[in-house]
Amino acid sequence: MAKLRGRGYASVNYPTGMNLGGDPSQALIHATTTGTFVVSLSSVDLGQGLKTVVAQCAAETLGLPVENILVDTADTDTGPHCMGTFASRGTHRVGNAVIMAAAEAREVMLAVAAEELEVDAGDLETDGTGFVQVTGAREKRIHITDLALAAHFTHGRTISGRGIFLKEKNDPVPETGEMDPDSCQAHACTVAVVEVDDETGVVEVLRMHNAYEIGRALNPAMVAQQVEGGAWMGMSHALFEATEPYYPARDHGPTDFNEYLMPGAADIPEYHNAILERPAGNGPFGAKGIGEMTANAPIPAIANAIFDACGVRLDTMPFTPERVLRGLDELRADRSPTKE
């Protein structure tokens, strides 16, 4: 009896967004009297960090600190339209819409600043710290708080903008089947190193090496969290989680999360991640979607690693000790001299 080590590879390419009947998302943005820019969305942050990335896109476009951005994901009754948070579309669709809205608001912001400073709007720039200033003459400037107050109470101007990004519906060409169902595609590869106990059938994932090409990482720390969280989910699907069927009866199934198997802290392997940036021409600052795909490649990578370790090819999840042991028994039976 031994613990057998194996290595498995798997790669994936994943579309950003969906075709549907068109795939639009809208964004609205306006400045308060104190210079906070409120981004209004119906897009939902499920914990993947959408609000942070949206704030970054708005701040970068406006030329202001991210602390000046407030993201309001209200609801679908009062917010602008969004198709939903799915298909790894949030950063791409919503980010583009926010950039459009922020660019429109920036024009108004500079126009009001030009009146306050008595210069041409084309001579102005933002310094990234909250000031609008004359290019090459830093001493002639105005802070966004004073600017917003002047817009409201002196000029009667609303510093605001609207944006909508639409991936138009695309139908297949009847003769060839050719079509454009998504906006861009991200790519990834996972290498999993596992150890298989051929006496108990237990599989332990020792290491995962993940390489992701995602256009541009707008927030590298959050990308790493997405990759590692997705790898955990993939490993959980591969080795632990099951819904139906339960054997030998449904009564054996879990009734709550105390009984539902998932990896614990001691099961988490070493992660080694590499992020490759190949900016997408239609993405917000070049970004593509990195969401659901992070859970995909680990599953076949683990399956291939099990095969490399002990020769058992599993194609039904989860890869339980029972299935590993049954596979080993079949291999021994196939090699048995009596079978000949």
Side-chain angles (χ1 to χ4, degrees):
M1 303 302 177
K3 290 188 176 181
L4 310 173
R5 187 166 294 195
R7 178 184 297 167
Y9 301 77
S11 58
V12 60
N13 66 298
Y14 205 87
T16 296
M18 296 181 68
N19 194 14
L20 303 173
D23 190 10
S25 279
Q26 288 179 303
L28 303 175
I29 187 169
H30 74 275
T32 67
T33 55
T34 57
T36 295
F37 280 77
V38 180
V39 180
S40 299
L41 305 169
S42 289
S43 312
V44 177
D45 191 327
L46 302 175
Q48 78 277 32
L50 180 65
K51 294 176 75 171
T52 300
V53 170
V54 162
Q56 289 182 249
C57 290
E60 183 73 17
T61 305
L62 289 165
L64 297 173
V66 72
E67 291 78 15
N68 281 76
I69 310 300
L70 173 65
V71 180
D72 177 21
T73 53
D75 59 54
T76 53
D77 283 336
T78 60
H81 175 76
C82 180
M83 291 297 289
T85 301
F86 59 88
S88 302
R89 66 186 293 282
T91 294
H92 188 277
R93 301 291 194 267
V94 182
N96 275 323
V98 168
I99 289 171
M100 293 178 191
E104 187 174 285
R106 178 183 168 89
E107 289 185 14
V108 182
M109 179 179 72
L110 295 181
V112 174
E115 293 185 42
E116 283 292 294
L117 298 173
E118 298 181 341
V119 296
D120 188 84
D123 296 330
L124 295 175
E125 64 181 9
T126 49
D127 71 349
T129 69
F131 286 93
V132 179
Q133 64 190 29
V134 176
T135 304
R138 187 174 181 275
E139 68 281 356
K140 195 166 187 178
R141 61 182 185 168
I142 183 172
H143 193 267
I144 186 59
T145 301
D146 299 320
L147 177 54
L149 286 168
H152 282 84
F153 296 104
T154 303
H155 303 281
R157 300 286 300 274
T158 298
I159 303 178
S160 62
R162 305 154 297 169
I164 180 169
F165 181 84
L166 170 65
K167 169 63 175 74
E168 296 181 355
K169 182 177 183 291
N170 189 268
D171 295 314
V173 178
E175 293 77 16
T176 64
E178 177 186 4
M179 67 181 305
D180 178 25
D182 52 57
S183 298
C184 52
Q185 296 200 357
H187 307 85
C189 178
T190 293
V191 179
V193 178
V194 308
E195 198 169 68
V196 180
D197 189 321
D198 66 357
E199 183 175 8
T200 64
V202 171
V203 177
E204 181 182 359
V205 180
L206 304 178
R207 294 191 302 278
M208 274 197 203
H209 302 261
N210 302 295
Y212 279 82
E213 185 280 299
I214 58 168
R216 189 174 183 188
L218 301 186
N219 190 308
M222 291 178 61
V223 169
Q225 292 171 345
Q226 191 86 2
V227 169
E228 294 184 5
W232 179 91
M233 292 179 67
M235 183 179 73
S236 188
H237 287 308
L239 299 179
F240 294 90
E241 296 187 55
T243 52
E244 294 283 355
Y246 293 115
Y247 177 83
R250 295 189 69 184
D251 296 342
H252 290 255
T255 58
D256 55 37
F257 281 108
N258 290 320
E259 299 177 353
Y260 189 83
L261 287 179
M262 291 184 288
D267 301 305
I268 297 175
E270 293 179 23
Y271 291 124
H272 302 273
N273 305 321
I275 305 302
L276 309 177
E277 295 186 304
R278 302 290 187 273
N282 59 11
F285 304 109
K288 302 176 182 178
I290 174 174
E292 295 142 311
M293 70 181 296
T294 56
N296 290 0
I299 299 172
I302 291 171
N304 289 335
I306 294 171
F307 177 76
D308 183 55
C310 64
V312 173
R313 173 61 72 191
L314 298 174
D315 55 13
T316 300
M317 297 185 296
F319 311 140
T320 60
E322 180 183 6
R323 286 175 173 146
V324 172
L325 291 176
R326 287 182 182 277
L328 289 172
D329 287 344
E330 291 174 4
L331 286 177
R332 295 188 187 104
D334 289 340
R335 296 167 184 164
S336 173
T338 58
K339 188 170 183 178
E340 298 178 2

